Amino acid sequence: MASIGQIVEQTPGSEVLKRARQRAVLVPDCMVEAKRIANTVIAGWHGRRKRGIGENFWQFRPYADGESFSRIDWRRSARDDHMYIRDREWEAAHTVWLWADMSPSMMYKSTLASVSKESRALVLMLALAEILARSGERIGCPGIMEPVSARNAAERLATAIMHAPITEGLPDTRMIRGSSDIVLIGDFLDDADRVMERITPLARRGLRGHVVEVADPAEETFPYTGRTEFTDPETGEKLTSGRAETLREDYQQAYLARRDSMSDQLRRMGWSFTHNRTDRLASEALVAVHMHLSGMPPAVNRSAG
């Protein structure tokens, strides 16, 4: 049968530079797509902004009985028969750490998907950086970029990623101090308990976490039939099945059990979990994660489609 998907072969150390260059070529296109998606999602949305102490104007709102007359904006109130309060924007910048898995398994793209898992993860990370930067948040990436508060934080993150060394596994988070949010984006195909061994200490340190699982549709539906050779992109180990379709039911049960176990454990410790398939819109996951960051969990997570 025709190949369902493809993945770049695991590269030896002498070819790491080639992989880095391939990623560097991918990042600019991902940045363009991230900005497009961010503009769509953020249109008309205040996001994490709220009323509080600050210098920037946020909104006018009707005066309520008991409020100080000194807060009334008389120029705005003179336009009609109502009195209005001039609210300023809360300016306590928060730090959000963003991380996307760049390991070999993320390079997979089946014929059922429009983009690779790596491309989707990069787009989600850069789009989040764009939206959060516009909201005045401090954006950082463990091991790649120290937190910055700037309108061009997404571009700076993209540049840092292009020049970052190739690494695998969850990031080193020892540099993270204080109360922060961390968003981890990847396929998380390892055993759920192994993943949680790395994540649980972060929650114990007081980090608010948000995990985004990126999946190719072929990884869920297992559309393989006939004689098929499967290769582990991380270890290079191979498995050949004479009739791949006979594995489908057991595979799907194990695949979903891993996801359910991880998502249940994450939610029990107060972290959010969002699933996004590469044949669905990136904006679905972006909206869900941004609402979790804003303290407004979405009523329905439609990105699981």
Side-chain angles (χ1 to χ4, degrees), residues 77-98:
S77 301
R79 298 179 189 174
D80 50 42
D81 297 330
H82 301 280
M83 291 188 293
Y84 291 91
I85 297 292
R86 182 184 182 90
D87 276 335
R88 292 178 293 180
E89 185 179 342
W90 180 63
E91 292 183 345
H94 193 66
T95 299
V96 182
W97 295 85
L98 306 175

Side-chain angles (χ1 to χ4, degrees), residues 3 7 46 68 150 170 204-205 209 220 258 272:
S3 173
I7 187 167
H46 285 302
S68 172
L170 291 174
R204 290 174 179 166
R205 286 165 47 191
E220 289 191 356
R258 172 201 55 82
S272 71

Side-chain angles (χ1 to χ4, degrees), residues 127-153:
L128 271 173
E130 179 72 14
I131 290 177
L132 293 170
R134 296 187 193 183
S135 300
E137 310 291 12
R138 301 174 70 241
I139 309 301
C141 182
I144 294 179
M145 187 180 81
E146 290 294 322
V148 297
S149 180
R151 292 283 293 183
N152 67 340

Side-chain angles (χ1 to χ4, degrees), residues 157-175:
L157 177 57
T159 300
I161 291 171
M162 291 171 64
H163 296 90
I166 298 293
T167 59
E168 297 179 10
L170 291 174
D172 183 355
T173 58
R174 288 175 294 181
M175 76 293 296

Side-chain angles (χ1 to χ4, degrees), residues 21 24 29 44 70 97 110 128 161 164 175 181 184 263 293 299 303:
R21 287 172 176 168
D29 288 341
S70 64
W97 295 85
S110 75
L128 271 173
I161 291 171
M175 76 293 296
D181 280 84
L184 304 174
S263 63
L293 285 165
S303 61

Side-chain angles (χ1 to χ4, degrees), residues 222 244-257:
F222 200 82
E245 64 273 17
T246 63
L247 305 176
R248 184 173 298 124
E249 184 175 350
D250 288 342
Y251 167 86
Q252 288 178 324
Q253 289 179 355
Y255 182 88
L256 294 177

